[in-house]
Amino acid sequence: MAAAAFEGELLATSPSRNYTFGEVALLLEDVNATDVQGKLRTTQGVFAAWDNYARVPPVPVVTYVGTGLSTTLGMTFKKDVQPCDPDGTWTSGGRTQADGDGTVPTQSLRYATDKWAARGADVRTVVVKKGGHLDMLRTASIVNEIVAEAC
C-alpha cells in the first residue's frame, strides 16, 4: 500500500543513495536488519490484500481522517546508511514531514477511500482537524458519531 500511495516519493535519502517506498526491503538490508526477506514474506499477504481496495465495497463506508499534524513521511541522512550504526547515522539527519494525524500521512489515510469514491462507492470521509491517530478514539464526540453510524 505505501508503495502505491506514495509512488515515486522518497522514503530515505543519503549522500550516495535514495530509497523509494518500493525499495524498503533494500533499505532494511543495507542497515543489516535481520531476516528482511522472511519478514517481508510474512507480511506479503497483508500488502497483497491492498489490491482488494481496487474493488468497491458493497456497504457504505465512513472514515475519520486526522489532518493538520506534522507526520513523518521519510528520512534524510547526512551520512550513508550503514549496518550496526556505531556513528549515529540514524540520528544525524532529519525527517521529511507531511500533513497527517501525527502517525500516518493524510495521503495514506485517504488512499483506499479516494479510490473507492472515484469508482462510485458510497464513501464519506470525516476530516478531523488536529485529530491525532489515537486521540480521535479518546474523543467522546467522535466515538459517539462512530456509534451512531454503526447503529
Side-chain angles (χ1 to χ4, degrees), residues 6 64-73 96-110 127-134 136:
F6 298 100
Y64 289 78
V65 175
T67 64
L69 298 178
S70 184
T71 305
T72 299
L73 180 62
T96 305
Q97 298 299 113
D99 181 53
D101 66 9
T103 301
V104 180
T106 302
Q107 187 173 342
S108 184
L109 291 168
R110 295 193 61 141
V127 176
V128 181
K129 292 184 175 151
K130 302 290 184 191
H133 190 73
L134 294 177
M136 287 189 285

Side-chain angles (χ1 to χ4, degrees), residues 21-83:
F21 275 85
E23 297 172 313
V24 68
L26 180 59
L27 172 62
L28 293 172
E29 286 173 359
D30 285 354
V31 298
N32 206 25
T34 59
D35 192 23
V36 172
Q37 294 305 320
K39 288 181 173 108
L40 291 175
R41 274 192 304 279
T42 301
T43 60
Q44 189 173 24
V46 174
F47 291 110
W50 280 98
D51 291 339
N52 293 330
Y53 283 106
R55 296 185 203 137
V56 174
V59 296
V61 175
V62 179
T63 62
Y64 289 78
V65 175
T67 64
L69 298 178
S70 184
T71 305
T72 299
L73 180 62
M75 302 293 289
T76 303
F77 303 113
K78 294 178 185 173
K79 299 187 310 184
D80 286 334
V81 175
Q82 302 169 6

